[in-house]
PDB file of all heavy atoms in Angstrom:
ATOM      1  N   ASP A   1       7.054 -22.847  -8.427  1.00  0.00           N
ATOM      2  CA  ASP A   1       7.252 -21.822  -9.547  1.00  0.00           C
ATOM      3  C   ASP A   1       8.209 -20.683  -9.010  1.00  0.00           C
ATOM      4  O   ASP A   1       9.033 -20.196  -9.852  1.00  0.00           O
ATOM      5  CB  ASP A   1       5.994 -21.307  -9.891  1.00  0.00           C
ATOM      6  CG  ASP A   1       5.097 -22.319 -10.687  1.00  0.00           C
ATOM      7  OD1 ASP A   1       5.728 -23.250 -11.210  1.00  0.00           O
ATOM      8  OD2 ASP A   1       3.789 -22.116 -10.768  1.00  0.00           O
ATOM      9  N   ILE A   2       8.014 -20.404  -7.800  1.00  0.00           N
ATOM     10  CA  ILE A   2       8.953 -19.308  -7.141  1.00  0.00           C
ATOM     11  C   ILE A   2      10.388 -19.708  -7.310  1.00  0.00           C
ATOM     12  O   ILE A   2      11.298 -18.985  -7.599  1.00  0.00           O
ATOM     13  CB  ILE A   2       8.449 -18.887  -5.790  1.00  0.00           C
ATOM     14  CG1 ILE A   2       7.132 -18.145  -5.830  1.00  0.00           C
ATOM     15  CG2 ILE A   2       9.547 -18.066  -5.100  1.00  0.00           C
ATOM     16  CD1 ILE A   2       6.492 -17.841  -4.622  1.00  0.00           C
ATOM     17  N   PHE A   3      10.717 -21.016  -6.900  1.00  0.00           N
ATOM     18  CA  PHE A   3      12.069 -21.441  -6.903  1.00  0.00           C
ATOM     19  C   PHE A   3      12.629 -21.603  -8.289  1.00  0.00           C
ATOM     20  O   PHE A   3      13.828 -21.383  -8.519  1.00  0.00           O
ATOM     21  CB  PHE A   3      12.137 -22.819  -6.065  1.00  0.00           C
ATOM     22  CG  PHE A   3      12.225 -22.630  -4.651  1.00  0.00           C
ATOM     23  CD1 PHE A   3      11.266 -23.021  -3.742  1.00  0.00           C
ATOM     24  CD2 PHE A   3      13.363 -21.974  -3.998  1.00  0.00           C
ATOM     25  CE1 PHE A   3      11.299 -22.917  -2.432  1.00  0.00           C
ATOM     26  CE2 PHE A   3      13.375 -21.803  -2.647  1.00  0.00           C
ATOM     27  CZ  PHE A   3      12.381 -22.297  -1.859  1.00  0.00           C
ATOM     28  N   LYS A   4      11.675 -21.896  -9.171  1.00  0.00           N
ATOM     29  CA  LYS A   4      12.171 -21.974 -10.634  1.00  0.00           C
ATOM     30  C   LYS A   4      12.508 -20.550 -11.034  1.00  0.00           C
ATOM     31  O   LYS A   4      13.466 -20.298 -11.858  1.00  0.00           O
ATOM     32  CB  LYS A   4      11.081 -22.521 -11.530  1.00  0.00           C
ATOM     33  CG  LYS A   4      10.919 -24.094 -11.284  1.00  0.00           C
ATOM     34  CD  LYS A   4       9.813 -24.613 -12.304  1.00  0.00           C
ATOM     35  CE  LYS A   4       9.609 -25.939 -11.967  1.00  0.00           C
ATOM     36  NZ  LYS A   4       8.330 -26.471 -12.833  1.00  0.00           N
ATOM     37  N   ALA A   5      11.881 -19.642 -10.635  1.00  0.00           N
ATOM     38  CA  ALA A   5      12.004 -18.142 -11.102  1.00  0.00           C
ATOM     39  C   ALA A   5      13.353 -17.587 -10.447  1.00  0.00           C
ATOM     40  O   ALA A   5      13.871 -16.651 -11.097  1.00  0.00           O
ATOM     41  CB  ALA A   5      10.877 -17.396 -10.857  1.00  0.00           C
ATOM     42  N   GLY A   6      13.639 -18.066  -9.339  1.00  0.00           N
ATOM     43  CA  GLY A   6      14.751 -17.433  -8.681  1.00  0.00           C
ATOM     44  C   GLY A   6      14.456 -16.776  -7.248  1.00  0.00           C
ATOM     45  O   GLY A   6      13.198 -16.539  -6.949  1.00  0.00           O
ATOM     46  N   MET A   7      15.485 -16.702  -6.409  1.00  0.00           N
ATOM     47  CA  MET A   7      15.225 -16.303  -5.033  1.00  0.00           C
ATOM     48  C   MET A   7      14.758 -14.834  -4.995  1.00  0.00           C
ATOM     49  O   MET A   7      13.780 -14.634  -4.233  1.00  0.00           O
ATOM     50  CB  MET A   7      16.613 -16.327  -4.265  1.00  0.00           C
ATOM     51  CG  MET A   7      16.370 -16.036  -2.849  1.00  0.00           C
ATOM     52  SD  MET A   7      17.868 -15.944  -1.949  1.00  0.00           S
ATOM     53  CE  MET A   7      18.568 -14.410  -2.342  1.00  0.00           C
ATOM     54  N   TRP A   8      15.230 -13.939  -5.791  1.00  0.00           N
ATOM     55  CA  TRP A   8      14.740 -12.508  -5.656  1.00  0.00           C
ATOM     56  C   TRP A   8      13.393 -12.384  -6.104  1.00  0.00           C
ATOM     57  O   TRP A   8      12.622 -11.594  -5.542  1.00  0.00           O
ATOM     58  CB  TRP A   8      15.720 -11.541  -6.433  1.00  0.00           C
ATOM     59  CG  TRP A   8      17.041 -11.483  -5.573  1.00  0.00           C
ATOM     60  CD1 TRP A   8      18.338 -12.049  -5.930  1.00  0.00           C
ATOM     61  CD2 TRP A   8      17.232 -10.977  -4.309  1.00  0.00           C
ATOM     62  NE1 TRP A   8      19.138 -11.753  -5.008  1.00  0.00           N
ATOM     63  CE2 TRP A   8      18.582 -11.041  -3.944  1.00  0.00           C
ATOM     64  CE3 TRP A   8      16.374 -10.227  -3.410  1.00  0.00           C
ATOM     65  CZ2 TRP A   8      19.064 -10.567  -2.801  1.00  0.00           C
ATOM     66  CZ3 TRP A   8      16.912  -9.722  -2.271  1.00  0.00           C
ATOM     67  CH2 TRP A   8      18.166  -9.942  -1.873  1.00  0.00           C
ATOM     68  N   VAL A   9      13.031 -13.023  -7.108  1.00  0.00           N
ATOM     69  CA  VAL A   9      11.606 -12.996  -7.623  1.00  0.00           C
ATOM     70  C   VAL A   9      10.763 -13.509  -6.437  1.00  0.00           C
ATOM     71  O   VAL A   9       9.680 -12.949  -6.139  1.00  0.00           O
ATOM     72  CB  VAL A   9      11.460 -13.734  -8.912  1.00  0.00           C
ATOM     73  CG1 VAL A   9       9.988 -13.859  -9.341  1.00  0.00           C
ATOM     74  CG2 VAL A   9      12.202 -13.166  -9.976  1.00  0.00           C
ATOM     75  N   GLY A  10      11.118 -14.511  -5.874  1.00  0.00           N
ATOM     76  CA  GLY A  10      10.305 -15.055  -4.722  1.00  0.00           C
ATOM     77  C   GLY A  10      10.220 -14.066  -3.542  1.00  0.00           C
ATOM     78  O   GLY A  10       9.133 -13.989  -2.964  1.00  0.00           O
ATOM     79  N   VAL A  11      11.409 -13.408  -3.224  1.00  0.00           N
ATOM     80  CA  VAL A  11      11.307 -12.312  -2.273  1.00  0.00           C
ATOM     81  C   VAL A  11      10.306 -11.298  -2.547  1.00  0.00           C
ATOM     82  O   VAL A  11       9.452 -10.784  -1.725  1.00  0.00           O
ATOM     83  CB  VAL A  11      12.662 -11.786  -1.976  1.00  0.00           C
ATOM     84  CG1 VAL A  11      12.588 -10.628  -1.044  1.00  0.00           C
ATOM     85  CG2 VAL A  11      13.578 -12.913  -1.253  1.00  0.00           C
ATOM     86  N   ILE A  12      10.347 -10.851  -3.804  1.00  0.00           N
ATOM     87  CA  ILE A  12       9.438  -9.755  -4.240  1.00  0.00           C
ATOM     88  C   ILE A  12       8.015 -10.273  -4.222  1.00  0.00           C
ATOM     89  O   ILE A  12       7.046  -9.554  -3.731  1.00  0.00           O
ATOM     90  CB  ILE A  12       9.856  -9.324  -5.676  1.00  0.00           C
ATOM     91  CG1 ILE A  12      11.135  -8.580  -5.645  1.00  0.00           C
ATOM     92  CG2 ILE A  12       8.811  -8.356  -6.263  1.00  0.00           C
ATOM     93  CD1 ILE A  12      11.792  -8.357  -6.955  1.00  0.00           C
ATOM     94  N   VAL A  13       7.691 -11.494  -4.584  1.00  0.00           N
ATOM     95  CA  VAL A  13       6.422 -12.064  -4.586  1.00  0.00           C
ATOM     96  C   VAL A  13       5.824 -12.067  -3.118  1.00  0.00           C
ATOM     97  O   VAL A  13       4.689 -11.731  -2.820  1.00  0.00           O
ATOM     98  CB  VAL A  13       6.265 -13.394  -5.322  1.00  0.00           C
ATOM     99  CG1 VAL A  13       4.961 -14.062  -5.015  1.00  0.00           C
ATOM    100  CG2 VAL A  13       6.465 -13.158  -6.773  1.00  0.00           C
ATOM    101  N   VAL A  14       6.679 -12.578  -2.315  1.00  0.00           N
ATOM    102  CA  VAL A  14       6.303 -12.720  -0.789  1.00  0.00           C
ATOM    103  C   VAL A  14       6.045 -11.296  -0.183  1.00  0.00           C
ATOM    104  O   VAL A  14       4.919 -11.121   0.457  1.00  0.00           O
ATOM    105  CB  VAL A  14       7.424 -13.501  -0.016  1.00  0.00           C
ATOM    106  CG1 VAL A  14       7.086 -13.370   1.494  1.00  0.00           C
ATOM    107  CG2 VAL A  14       7.476 -14.933  -0.470  1.00  0.00           C
ATOM    108  N   ILE A  15       6.907 -10.332  -0.521  1.00  0.00           N
ATOM    109  CA  ILE A  15       6.570  -8.980  -0.036  1.00  0.00           C
ATOM    110  C   ILE A  15       5.277  -8.433  -0.657  1.00  0.00           C
ATOM    111  O   ILE A  15       4.553  -7.800   0.070  1.00  0.00           O
ATOM    112  CB  ILE A  15       7.789  -8.034  -0.238  1.00  0.00           C
ATOM    113  CG1 ILE A  15       9.024  -8.530   0.542  1.00  0.00           C
ATOM    114  CG2 ILE A  15       7.459  -6.585  -0.058  1.00  0.00           C
ATOM    115  CD1 ILE A  15      10.213  -7.884   0.269  1.00  0.00           C
ATOM    116  N   ALA A  16       5.107  -8.686  -1.911  1.00  0.00           N
ATOM    117  CA  ALA A  16       3.884  -8.227  -2.444  1.00  0.00           C
ATOM    118  C   ALA A  16       2.607  -8.839  -1.818  1.00  0.00           C
ATOM    119  O   ALA A  16       1.653  -8.151  -1.628  1.00  0.00           O
ATOM    120  CB  ALA A  16       3.868  -8.428  -4.050  1.00  0.00           C
ATOM    121  N   VAL A  17       2.616 -10.129  -1.643  1.00  0.00           N
ATOM    122  CA  VAL A  17       1.513 -10.804  -1.097  1.00  0.00           C
ATOM    123  C   VAL A  17       1.268 -10.308   0.341  1.00  0.00           C
ATOM    124  O   VAL A  17       0.107 -10.026   0.824  1.00  0.00           O
ATOM    125  CB  VAL A  17       1.750 -12.264  -1.091  1.00  0.00           C
ATOM    126  CG1 VAL A  17       0.615 -13.067  -0.219  1.00  0.00           C
ATOM    127  CG2 VAL A  17       1.633 -12.845  -2.438  1.00  0.00           C
ATOM    128  N   ILE A  18       2.269 -10.133   1.157  1.00  0.00           N
ATOM    129  CA  ILE A  18       2.104  -9.606   2.540  1.00  0.00           C
ATOM    130  C   ILE A  18       1.560  -8.173   2.421  1.00  0.00           C
ATOM    131  O   ILE A  18       0.588  -7.827   3.261  1.00  0.00           O
ATOM    132  CB  ILE A  18       3.461  -9.573   3.273  1.00  0.00           C
ATOM    133  CG1 ILE A  18       3.877 -11.102   3.582  1.00  0.00           C
ATOM    134  CG2 ILE A  18       3.426  -8.786   4.517  1.00  0.00           C
ATOM    135  CD1 ILE A  18       5.180 -11.272   4.135  1.00  0.00           C
ATOM    136  N   GLY A  19       2.087  -7.414   1.544  1.00  0.00           N
ATOM    137  CA  GLY A  19       1.497  -5.989   1.338  1.00  0.00           C
ATOM    138  C   GLY A  19       0.014  -6.032   0.943  1.00  0.00           C
ATOM    139  O   GLY A  19      -0.763  -5.225   1.499  1.00  0.00           O
ATOM    140  N   LEU A  20      -0.364  -6.927   0.075  1.00  0.00           N
ATOM    141  CA  LEU A  20      -1.758  -7.110  -0.288  1.00  0.00           C
ATOM    142  C   LEU A  20      -2.551  -7.358   0.903  1.00  0.00           C
ATOM    143  O   LEU A  20      -3.709  -6.964   0.959  1.00  0.00           O
ATOM    144  CB  LEU A  20      -1.803  -7.968  -1.390  1.00  0.00           C
ATOM    145  CG  LEU A  20      -3.227  -8.296  -1.910  1.00  0.00           C
ATOM    146  CD1 LEU A  20      -3.825  -7.113  -2.630  1.00  0.00           C
ATOM    147  CD2 LEU A  20      -3.254  -9.513  -2.889  1.00  0.00           C
ATOM    148  N   ILE A  21      -2.143  -8.452   1.723  1.00  0.00           N
ATOM    149  CA  ILE A  21      -2.923  -8.833   2.781  1.00  0.00           C
ATOM    150  C   ILE A  21      -3.103  -7.707   3.765  1.00  0.00           C
ATOM    151  O   ILE A  21      -4.234  -7.426   4.383  1.00  0.00           O
ATOM    152  CB  ILE A  21      -2.331 -10.098   3.449  1.00  0.00           C
ATOM    153  CG1 ILE A  21      -2.392 -11.318   2.473  1.00  0.00           C
ATOM    154  CG2 ILE A  21      -2.896 -10.410   4.845  1.00  0.00           C
ATOM    155  CD1 ILE A  21      -1.608 -12.449   2.882  1.00  0.00           C
ATOM    156  N   ILE A  22      -2.071  -6.939   4.005  1.00  0.00           N
ATOM    157  CA  ILE A  22      -2.237  -5.841   4.990  1.00  0.00           C
ATOM    158  C   ILE A  22      -3.053  -4.749   4.446  1.00  0.00           C
ATOM    159  O   ILE A  22      -3.911  -4.153   5.164  1.00  0.00           O
ATOM    160  CB  ILE A  22      -0.755  -5.191   5.296  1.00  0.00           C
ATOM    161  CG1 ILE A  22       0.075  -6.192   6.085  1.00  0.00           C
ATOM    162  CG2 ILE A  22      -0.925  -3.896   5.969  1.00  0.00           C
ATOM    163  CD1 ILE A  22       1.521  -5.853   6.234  1.00  0.00           C
ATOM    164  N   TRP A  23      -3.055  -4.469   3.174  1.00  0.00           N
ATOM    165  CA  TRP A  23      -3.949  -3.496   2.568  1.00  0.00           C
ATOM    166  C   TRP A  23      -5.354  -4.011   2.576  1.00  0.00           C
ATOM    167  O   TRP A  23      -6.293  -3.131   2.908  1.00  0.00           O
ATOM    168  CB  TRP A  23      -3.472  -3.260   1.064  1.00  0.00           C
ATOM    169  CG  TRP A  23      -4.341  -2.311   0.428  1.00  0.00           C
ATOM    170  CD1 TRP A  23      -4.462  -0.989   0.511  1.00  0.00           C
ATOM    171  CD2 TRP A  23      -5.365  -2.643  -0.683  1.00  0.00           C
ATOM    172  NE1 TRP A  23      -5.287  -0.447  -0.384  1.00  0.00           N
ATOM    173  CE2 TRP A  23      -5.924  -1.478  -1.083  1.00  0.00           C
ATOM    174  CE3 TRP A  23      -5.883  -3.851  -1.235  1.00  0.00           C
ATOM    175  CZ2 TRP A  23      -6.907  -1.356  -2.070  1.00  0.00           C
ATOM    176  CZ3 TRP A  23      -6.875  -3.730  -2.036  1.00  0.00           C
ATOM    177  CH2 TRP A  23      -7.326  -2.598  -2.467  1.00  0.00           C
ATOM    178  N   LEU A  24      -5.644  -5.195   2.281  1.00  0.00           N
ATOM    179  CA  LEU A  24      -6.973  -5.635   2.399  1.00  0.00           C
ATOM    180  C   LEU A  24      -7.532  -5.659   3.791  1.00  0.00           C
ATOM    181  O   LEU A  24      -8.732  -5.235   4.037  1.00  0.00           O
ATOM    182  CB  LEU A  24      -7.124  -7.185   1.909  1.00  0.00           C
ATOM    183  CG  LEU A  24      -7.032  -7.407   0.476  1.00  0.00           C
ATOM    184  CD1 LEU A  24      -6.913  -8.899   0.052  1.00  0.00           C
ATOM    185  CD2 LEU A  24      -8.159  -6.737  -0.177  1.00  0.00           C
ATOM    186  N   ILE A  25      -6.752  -6.066   4.820  1.00  0.00           N
ATOM    187  CA  ILE A  25      -7.207  -5.812   6.158  1.00  0.00           C
ATOM    188  C   ILE A  25      -7.497  -4.502   6.664  1.00  0.00           C
ATOM    189  O   ILE A  25      -8.549  -4.230   7.345  1.00  0.00           O
ATOM    190  CB  ILE A  25      -6.122  -6.530   7.204  1.00  0.00           C
ATOM    191  CG1 ILE A  25      -6.087  -8.025   6.950  1.00  0.00           C
ATOM    192  CG2 ILE A  25      -6.345  -6.258   8.630  1.00  0.00           C
ATOM    193  CD1 ILE A  25      -4.899  -8.840   7.670  1.00  0.00           C
ATOM    194  N   SER A  26      -6.680  -3.597   6.211  1.00  0.00           N
ATOM    195  CA  SER A  26      -6.787  -2.135   6.394  1.00  0.00           C
ATOM    196  C   SER A  26      -8.146  -1.607   5.848  1.00  0.00           C
ATOM    197  O   SER A  26      -8.856  -0.737   6.444  1.00  0.00           O
ATOM    198  CB  SER A  26      -5.588  -1.309   6.180  1.00  0.00           C
ATOM    199  OG  SER A  26      -5.514  -1.226   4.748  1.00  0.00           O
ATOM    200  N   ARG A  27      -8.376  -2.125   4.737  1.00  0.00           N
ATOM    201  CA  ARG A  27      -9.696  -1.642   4.074  1.00  0.00           C
ATOM    202  C   ARG A  27     -10.934  -2.206   4.736  1.00  0.00           C
ATOM    203  O   ARG A  27     -11.955  -1.552   4.737  1.00  0.00           O
ATOM    204  CB  ARG A  27      -9.704  -2.015   2.521  1.00  0.00           C
ATOM    205  CG  ARG A  27      -8.704  -1.471   1.801  1.00  0.00           C
ATOM    206  CD  ARG A  27      -9.068  -1.085   0.456  1.00  0.00           C
ATOM    207  NE  ARG A  27     -10.442  -1.092   0.137  1.00  0.00           N
ATOM    208  CZ  ARG A  27     -10.997  -0.235  -0.810  1.00  0.00           C
ATOM    209  NH1 ARG A  27     -10.234   0.655  -1.330  1.00  0.00           N
ATOM    210  NH2 ARG A  27     -12.255  -0.326  -0.966  1.00  0.00           N
ATOM    211  N   PHE A  28     -10.851  -3.439   5.297  1.00  0.00           N
ATOM    212  CA  PHE A  28     -12.110  -3.963   5.868  1.00  0.00           C
ATOM    213  C   PHE A  28     -12.305  -3.429   7.294  1.00  0.00           C
ATOM    214  O   PHE A  28     -13.374  -3.498   7.774  1.00  0.00           O
ATOM    215  CB  PHE A  28     -11.880  -5.487   5.917  1.00  0.00           C
ATOM    216  CG  PHE A  28     -12.227  -6.182   4.706  1.00  0.00           C
ATOM    217  CD1 PHE A  28     -11.265  -6.985   4.004  1.00  0.00           C
ATOM    218  CD2 PHE A  28     -13.376  -6.030   4.061  1.00  0.00           C
ATOM    219  CE1 PHE A  28     -11.520  -7.606   2.901  1.00  0.00           C
ATOM    220  CE2 PHE A  28     -13.623  -6.560   2.753  1.00  0.00           C
ATOM    221  CZ  PHE A  28     -12.663  -7.469   2.155  1.00  0.00           C
ATOM    222  N   ARG A  29     -11.233  -2.964   7.933  1.00  0.00           N
ATOM    223  CA  ARG A  29     -11.382  -2.347   9.373  1.00  0.00           C
ATOM    224  C   ARG A  29     -12.095  -1.082   9.263  1.00  0.00           C
ATOM    225  O   ARG A  29     -12.591  -0.620  10.408  1.00  0.00           O
ATOM    226  CB  ARG A  29     -10.053  -2.210  10.006  1.00  0.00           C
ATOM    227  CG  ARG A  29      -9.491  -3.580  10.304  1.00  0.00           C
ATOM    228  CD  ARG A  29      -8.299  -3.394  11.147  1.00  0.00           C
ATOM    229  NE  ARG A  29      -7.912  -4.736  11.592  1.00  0.00           N
ATOM    230  CZ  ARG A  29      -7.523  -4.974  12.785  1.00  0.00           C
ATOM    231  NH1 ARG A  29      -7.482  -4.117  13.749  1.00  0.00           N
ATOM    232  NH2 ARG A  29      -7.155  -6.258  13.095  1.00  0.00           N
TER     233      ARG A  29
END
């Protein structure tokens, strides 16, 4: 689905997911 939407959408989604994971880890610590 990311490749169908385009490269920049994929980059934004990946950055958002990484940010979400970092935020969740910081909340659990």
